Amino acid sequence: MKITSIEAFQIEWAKGDAAEKRGAFLRVHADNGMVGIGEASPMAGGLASLIILKHHIAAAIIGADPLDHAVIHDRLIHKLVKLGPEGALGGALAALDIALWDLKGKLLGQPVYKLLGGAWRTALPFYASIGGNGVRTVDEVLRVVEERLKDKPSAIKIRFDNDRTKPDADITGDIAKARAVRKLVGDDFPLAFDANNGLSTGGAIRVGRALEELGFWWFEEPVQHYHIREMGEVARRLDITVSAGEQTYTIAGVRDLIEAGVTMVQPDIVKMGGITGLMRCAALCQAHGVELVPHQTQPTIGHLANMHVVAAQLQATKPIELDDPSNRRHPVFANPPRPVDGLFHLPTAPGLGLDLIAAEVASRRLDIG
Ligand code: CA
């Protein structure tokens, strides 16, 4: 099998979506007529990743064998290292790798999880990831949490999304919201707190102590993502599990977090090497006894790729993430990923097992220059 062409494009979830709200999709065509689908990180609409795919990657992979996906990934990351290796380049390579695994599964007639060595579980619980709580009142936070409980998540994460240029802006308010949510859901319901890099080291210790008292499950990205040593210091000084890594794009970057003291890492399959990258990360985490709980919010192609990897892991200690529970992204898929009674079920069709509806894609795609 040889790659004959690729198409990198944005997808509008609703008419008039702002550019940064769109998805970033990739289709890879092979000479046997098969098509693999991939997705880049949709941060800022994935535009920079799509441009890299179109202008720096497309010509380089024509004629390549999709089964050489790991060699292709490592060759390109070294060839294009001056464009990254973090951020947009990571997203571009992730989209390509996911599409090549989809092709590999289709060629071999097997779901991706089988090619990864088999699934420990094919029904995956999820946690409701709720953003924007920094600007809500305590009461507004409770109303949103109540709404999301209706989807039967096995845990809830409240994200604060505060302005990272103003650390420790409202520690008292943040703790009050965490306390109110704990009271609402009861003592036994699993909760997580995501500071979205909004705290200083001292502020994080203070919030972390409150979360320990409230029985929170984990404390995510307390300090700036680039302060790796301080992230580790917070983790070492607190008893609660401290997590980080959704803004880490390389295996070496994940290693640095682990060495600093972080005991739960959260790389995202649409940012860090796709399926190949996340499997390498899984091996690193297993060797160090560190929890791998991938970041992956939007229920589209990356979500499916992530599910295949998580299903194939011996240790999956936490549920998978679901940010947007609405059906706004569903219309482009013949079989959109949606939970049933609190569980996402892994498809058994070859490849990722996710089918695009060609006419919907055609009406929503926006090509980049
Ligand atoms: Ca997060």
Side-chain angles (χ1 to χ4, degrees):
M1 183 160 56
K2 285 190 176 4
I3 297 168
T4 54
S5 67
I6 72 168
E7 301 167 81
F9 53 92
Q10 279 195 316
I11 195 106
E12 258 187 339
W13 302 116
K15 275 288 163 214
D17 263 355
E20 64 271 19
K21 297 282 185 196
R22 299 173 193 149
F25 280 16
L26 176 70
R27 277 200 289 224
V28 178
H29 297 265
D31 58 355
N32 63 359
M34 288 177 172
V35 181
I37 58 173
E39 180 182 15
S41 169
M43 296 296 146
L47 272 174
S49 293
L50 295 175
I51 287 168
I52 290 174
L53 282 163
K54 182 173 178 181
H55 294 287
H56 299 284
I57 291 179
I61 58 169
I62 303 305
D65 182 346
L67 298 182
D68 292 338
H69 54 82
V71 172
I72 292 170
H73 174 275
D74 288 348
R75 185 166 283 146
L76 287 172
I77 202 168
H78 288 88
K79 179 177 181 222
L80 301 173
V81 70
K82 298 290 169 67
L83 296 177
E86 307 212 324
L89 177 59
L93 292 176
L96 179 61
D97 185 81
I98 292 167
L100 297 186
W101 272 96
D102 190 34
L103 271 176
K104 180 173 170 173
K106 286 168 175 165
L107 178 71
L108 301 175
Q110 294 291 333
V112 167
Y113 71 82
K114 286 283 186 189
L115 303 179
L116 298 178
W120 288 91
R121 56 201 78 77
T122 56
L124 306 175
F126 73 95
Y127 72 85
S129 181
I130 306 175
N133 292 301
V135 295
R136 293 194 179 107
T137 64
V138 172
D139 207 48
E140 286 168 344
V141 171
L142 294 179
R143 298 295 84 77
V144 180
V145 170
E146 278 175 340
E147 190 59 33
R148 293 293 299 275
L149 282 169
K150 293 176 186 168
D151 300 331
K152 300 186 183 173
S154 63
I156 281 187
K157 180 170 88 185
I158 46 173
R159 310 197 318 260
F160 284 77
D161 298 309
N162 288 324
D163 182 348
R164 355 180 147 188
T165 67
K166 298 184 176 65
D168 299 347
D170 186 17
I171 288 181
T172 310
D174 295 349
I175 293 173
K177 290 167 192 174
R179 183 167 286 123
V181 173
R182 168 53 76 208
K183 193 169 171 208
L184 175 77
V185 300
D187 287 344
D188 295 334
F189 194 85
L191 289 174
F193 182 108
D194 188 345
N196 297 105
N197 316 96
L199 299 167
S200 67
T201 302
I205 299 295
R206 186 173 152 206
V207 172
R209 295 264 184 258
L211 297 177
E212 286 170 354
E213 183 199 316
L214 293 168
F216 271 58
W217 209 8
W218 79 87
F219 182 20
E220 185 165 323
E221 287 203 302
V223 299
Q224 300 286 2
H225 77 282
Y226 47 77
H227 280 151
I228 293 167
R229 192 181 57 195
E230 290 75 9
M231 196 77 83
E233 184 186 341
V234 174
R236 288 179 193 278
R237 287 174 61 187
L238 291 172
D239 293 328
I240 189 173
T241 296
V242 171
S243 66
E246 69 176 79
Q247 297 168 93
T248 302
Y249 294 78
T250 63
I251 193 86
V254 175
R255 187 250 352 246
D256 291 345
L257 278 173
I258 293 172
E259 285 189 349
V262 172
T263 55
M264 172 172 148
V265 295
Q266 302 169 290
D268 190 320
I269 201 160
V270 296
K271 295 176 184 166
M272 208 204 94
I275 292 169
T276 301
L278 207 56
M279 286 298 286
R280 290 172 177 174
C281 197
L284 180 70
C285 290
Q286 191 171 0
H288 285 86
V290 162
E291 293 179 69
L292 173 65
V293 184
H295 176 267
Q296 224 321 286
T297 55
Q298 43 291 326
T300 71
I301 300 169
H303 181 83
L304 258 294
N306 182 60
M307 276 177 47
H308 282 277
V309 174
V310 170
Q313 296 315 302
L314 166 62
Q315 289 139 331
T317 54
K318 304 280 192 299
I320 59 173
E321 183 169 13
L322 179 63
D323 178 4
D324 182 358
S326 75
N327 60 6
R328 61 189 286 268
R329 294 185 175 90
H330 289 172
V332 298
F333 301 109
N335 52 348
R338 53 164 74 99
V340 178
D341 280 335
L343 296 170
F344 279 97
H345 293 271
L346 201 57
T348 54
L352 296 172
L354 186 62
D355 299 317
L356 293 173
I357 298 173
E360 282 292 335
V361 171
S363 72
R364 294 160 179 268
R365 72 179 276 170
L366 291 153
D367 288 275
I368 41 114

